[in-house]
Amino acid sequence: MKKVFVAFLALIALFVFVTPTLASTYLANTKSGKFHFSDCRTIKHPNAAHFVPYESRDACIADGYVPCGVCNP
Ligand SMILES: [Zn+2]
């Protein structure tokens, strides 16, 4: 039983470690015209249709997005 628990903890640790690296660094809001760090506290539904993932800040600005005032990307 103890082995199962350790395996479970290892799985969670792996999940926590891997997840941020899979997420895009920036999310642009096509409704507001602003872009955010993907972990910005103002983003409640990062998978919503109006959020577009970006890998770089320059790409957001090149597409006309303005940096969010809360997370200051
Ligand atoms: Zn933000």
Side-chain angles (χ1 to χ4, degrees):
M1 200 60 198
K2 200 173 180 182
K3 271 185 184 170
V4 173
F5 183 64
V6 171
F8 182 65
L9 281 184
L11 194 68
I12 289 178
L14 190 70
F15 183 75
V16 168
F17 177 74
V18 168
T19 301
T21 62
L22 291 176
S24 294
T25 310
Y26 302 99
L27 285 174
N29 185 329
T30 60
K31 287 185 178 175
S32 70
K34 292 179 180 176
F35 69 96
H36 306 261
F37 282 123
S38 56
D39 59 353
C40 177
R41 66 180 166 86
T42 69
I43 299 177
K44 299 204 167 42
H45 304 286
N47 294 320
H50 61 278
F51 282 115
V52 181
Y54 277 87
E55 296 298 328
S56 84
R57 187 181 189 277
D58 290 344
C60 295
I61 290 171
D63 283 354
Y65 291 105
V66 176
C68 165
V70 176
C71 59
N72 290 308

